[in-house]
Amino acid sequence: MRFNIQAILLLLVVACTPACQTVRLTQGRTNIPSGQLAKTVIPTHYDLALTVFPDQERFQGRVAIDVEIREPTTLIWLHGYGLNVTTASLALANGRKLVGGYKQINDDGVAQVQLPERVEPQHARLLFEYDAPLITTDLEGLYRVQQGKDWYAFTQFEAIAARHCFVSFDEPAFKATFAVSLTVRAEHRALANTPQVGEERLTGNTKRVQFPTTKKIPTYLVALAVGPLDVVEAEPIPLNSVRQVPVPLRGIAARGQGTRLAYALKHTGRLLKILEEYVGIAYPFQKLDIVAVPKFGGGAMGNVGLITFRDRILMVDEVTASVNQKQPFAYYMAHELAHQWFGNPVTMPWWDDLWLNEAFATWLEYRVVEAFDPSTKARVGQLKDILETMDEDSLLSTREIRQPIVTAHDIDNAFDGITYSKGGGVISMFERFLGAEQFQKGVRHYLNKFSYQVADTEQFLAALSSGSGKDISDSFRTFLVQPGVPLVEFQPSCNNGTASVLLRQSRYIPFGSNAPSDRIWQVLSASAMG
């Protein structure tokens, strides 16, 4: 996801609706998860069926979740926020059905299913039927917006807002496959992560639209759009040296706005080709829809197969738009396309490794835009952003790139310039240190090794070192796990005809700051030098 770093991020705290059951945390209930859920129940597949009429205030849902129960239990922890759950059950492997009690526990959306008896380890299926509000006050979850006289519904699930739309295990580590069906008005278009495969006309001027099962993805990358949308079919993105099949490409906009997507549709394919040639892996999904959303909280979101943007980013006029209007499209598009490798097939296990998504997408966007249009001097722009972030990083209040995320309330803090700009700058530094070709080999090794899996920082550092042939793990780690940047001072001397240089390292801090200055970064490594 690409944000305007200068924008104020909205606080992801919404009052619970009267329909949800809420129990306040007490000291006596310390077993309630405040961060990650235990890996005792693992989702493997979701069947998600929603009825969405954007002009109405609520929607209806039915979600079945195939799970692997790994330990005996009478209680299943998962997520759901503001959902009025009317049915909660568990179908066992032997065909028996247990009726459970669903309850939202706190304002983070932690929920539980209380089972009537102890269940042994096995494969089973959870089933929930519910209704919930179509959100209008915040641009997250499944929300609705009005454009003229028309209403539309869109999703924004990153970081933890999928739980506003359906009962789920709403953490990135719980990757699963998703099969979606949407019941909508007959005149509306319905879109999801995968191409539509079926449409059934129903009574009451409605229809059911079906979508094939996705590859394994986390909940925050599930995406939907419903309404009287313009859908512009563009020429498929042609095959190239990396990809042997064309990619279907479409532009999506509010009614009457589709013609304004011509510039974006014309140039998206070339940006994708540059990325494919760098990573050496074909675009991994079935189609590419780019969606101009009338109201959007961030800049863009790299959902699998259905990338959403603030509408003005995509609506650029080829003839009349200035350079300053055209360039944001290239940067945002490059960033979100980069997530189709960094974040989507290879996913962080938890939000403390968000930098693996966002720093890499930031680093790649500058590289791709430079290749797309050298006149942008994108790499110079990256240096400017890095230097500005160094000023922030010199302050006592700064944080490390890989910041521990203890509770859900810590997640928002990770979406800032330290993760994006500083993280991208550190990646650029190690690219230059290893050499562009060796670094590229390490990146490709990482993406191939962990395709459709989760990978954390240590796994990335090991894969990068192995693929590049140089162990840079210790050095790289010193820039990730402590705040600030090093100041290296050089003091040359010459004694009896022998020249030498004394290096002194300290933390770069503003004059008069009481920030700790005794931290050490490993800027040279014997093992890395080979």
Side-chain angles (χ1 to χ4, degrees):
M1 184 173 189
R2 194 182 195 278
F3 283 97
N4 181 343
I5 298 301
Q6 284 73 38
I8 299 176
L9 296 178
L10 295 175
L11 189 65
L12 300 180
V13 178
V14 182
C16 186
T17 67
C20 75
Q21 305 172 64
T22 303
V23 177
R24 299 294 179 185
L25 289 174
T26 65
Q27 291 184 346
R29 302 185 68 173
T30 56
N31 61 333
I32 297 173
S34 60
Q36 299 182 69
L37 299 177
K39 304 300 188 293
T40 54
V41 179
I42 306 295
T44 59
H45 175 76
Y46 291 75
D47 284 322
L48 178 62
L50 303 177
T51 299
V52 182
F53 304 141
D55 60 329
Q56 296 187 358
E57 294 184 351
R58 299 185 72 82
F59 69 95
Q60 290 73 47
R62 183 181 189 275
V63 59
I65 312 173
D66 293 334
V67 295
E68 177 188 349
I69 301 173
R70 294 182 170 181
E71 296 180 9
T73 188
T74 59
L75 186 66
I76 297 175
W77 292 103
L78 32 59
H79 297 106
Y81 188 98
L83 308 177
N84 178 38
V85 175
T86 55
T87 299
S89 63
L90 180 69
L92 303 179
N94 63 7
R96 290 182 60 220
K97 178 180 177 180
L98 303 180
V99 176
Y102 169 89
K103 182 181 291 184
Q104 180 181 328
I105 299 299
N106 62 24
D107 289 341
D108 292 336
V110 175
Q112 65 175 214
V113 176
Q114 182 69 56
L115 301 172
E117 62 185 65
R118 174 186 168 106
V119 174
E120 299 300 320
Q122 61 184 285
H123 292 280
R125 170 168 266 216
L126 286 162
L127 175 64
F128 302 93
E129 295 179 353
Y130 63 96
D131 62 89
L134 265 174
I135 300 168
T136 56
T137 55
D138 294 279
L139 303 177
E140 64 173 6
L142 177 60
Y143 67 93
R144 66 186 187 125
V145 299
Q146 188 173 21
Q147 179 96 325
K149 296 181 179 180
D150 296 322
W151 284 93
Y152 303 85
F154 300 99
T155 54
Q156 171 55 41
F157 288 162
E158 192 181 36
I160 56 170
R163 64 192 66 178
H164 292 240
C165 181
F166 56 98
V167 183
S168 58
F169 296 79
D170 193 17
E171 295 178 10
F174 293 116
K175 297 181 76 167
T177 55
F178 289 80
V180 174
S181 70
L182 296 175
T183 299
V184 300
R185 299 198 188 282
E187 66 272 18
H188 283 181
R189 298 299 297 263
L191 306 165
N193 300 96
T194 51
Q196 176 180 327
V197 292
E199 183 173 304
E200 177 187 2
R201 192 65 181 261
L202 306 175
T203 59
N205 195 38
T206 63
K207 63 183 178 182
R208 181 181 299 115
V209 182
Q210 296 175 321
F211 302 89
T213 302
T214 67
K215 297 179 180 180
K216 289 177 64 175
I217 60 175
T219 49
Y220 79 88
L221 291 176
V222 175
L224 310 169
V226 175
L229 295 159
D230 281 1
V231 179
V232 182
E233 300 278 352
E235 287 294 322
I237 301 172
L239 53 84
N240 54 45
S241 60
V242 177
R243 177 173 37 79
Q244 300 306 304
V245 294
V247 175
L249 174 65
R250 300 188 300 182
I252 317 298
R255 190 202 303 262
Q257 301 297 308
T259 57
R260 300 180 65 187
L261 300 176
Y263 179 87
L265 291 170
K266 177 180 177 180
H267 295 289
T268 294
R270 184 159 164 250
L271 290 164
L272 183 70
K273 178 176 181 288
I274 295 169
L275 272 161
E276 288 178 312
E277 290 174 345
Y278 181 81
V279 299
I281 301 171
Y283 175 74
F285 303 110
Q286 294 172 279
K287 51 100 173 172
L288 178 55
D289 289 341
I290 57 175
V291 187
V293 181
K295 294 181 182 179
F296 196 75
M301 178 66 203
N303 307 300
V304 167
L306 190 74
I307 304 178
T308 47
F309 297 82
R310 190 175 295 178
D311 56 3
R312 68 170 180 262
I313 293 170
L314 295 184
M315 293 179 178
V316 179
D317 187 272
E318 177 88 53
V319 178
T320 63
S322 67
V323 171
N324 288 336
Q325 291 173 306
K326 291 178 179 178
Q327 284 188 3
F329 158 77
Y331 283 103
Y332 276 96
M333 183 61 74
H335 186 101
E336 302 310 330
L337 290 177
H339 281 314
Q340 307 310 306
W341 292 272
F342 291 94
N344 296 10
V346 184
T347 307
M348 60 191 174
W350 182 239
W351 297 102
D352 50 7
D353 280 318
L354 178 67
W355 78 276
L356 286 171
N357 286 9
E358 300 301 350
F360 263 96
T362 301
W363 164 72
L364 263 174
E365 75 177 78
Y366 290 104
R367 167 182 282 278
V368 170
V369 171
E370 182 92 12
F372 174 75
D373 182 2
S375 70
T376 61
K377 300 189 184 300
R379 303 298 279 270
V380 176
Q382 181 188 22
L383 181 59
K384 177 177 177 289
D385 289 344
I386 292 169
L387 291 174
E388 290 176 353
T389 304
M390 285 175 64
D391 288 338
E392 176 187 346
D393 204 25
S394 68
L395 302 177
L396 178 62
S397 59
T398 193
R399 63 171 184 83
E400 56 268 55
I401 294 173
R402 189 181 187 274
Q403 180 185 17
I405 303 296
V406 179
T407 72
H409 301 284
D410 299 326
I411 297 172
D412 281 355
N413 296 332
F415 288 88
D416 67 357
I418 296 298
T419 294
Y420 287 69
S421 294
K422 181 185 178 182
V426 170
I427 291 170
S428 292
M429 178 179 66
F430 279 94
E431 179 192 24
R432 289 190 296 272
F433 178 68
L434 288 173
E437 185 176 342
Q438 291 303 110
F439 187 81
Q440 183 184 38
K441 289 179 180 178
V443 167
R444 290 181 172 186
H445 178 64
Y446 164 70
L447 292 174
N448 282 291
K449 182 174 182 178
F450 295 105
S451 182
Y452 297 103
Q453 302 178 52
V454 295
D456 62 17
T457 290
E458 292 305 315
Q459 290 168 310
F460 163 73
L461 294 178
L464 182 62
S465 297
S466 175
S468 67
K470 294 181 180 180
D471 186 2
I472 48 82
S473 297
D474 291 342
S475 182
F476 208 126
R477 195 179 293 111
T478 63
F479 286 85
L480 294 174
V481 300
Q482 59 185 349
V485 292
L487 174 65
V488 180
E489 300 174 85
F490 298 79
Q491 183 178 334
S493 63
C494 184
N495 295 315
N496 299 322
T498 302
S500 63
V501 177
L502 175 66
L503 303 181
R504 179 181 294 109
Q505 183 186 151
S506 61
R507 181 181 174 184
Y508 168 65
I509 57 176
F511 179 77
S513 172
N514 61 354
S517 60
D518 57 350
R519 294 192 173 108
I520 297 296
W521 288 259
Q522 186 172 309
V523 294
L524 289 177
S525 166
S527 60
M529 294 298 290

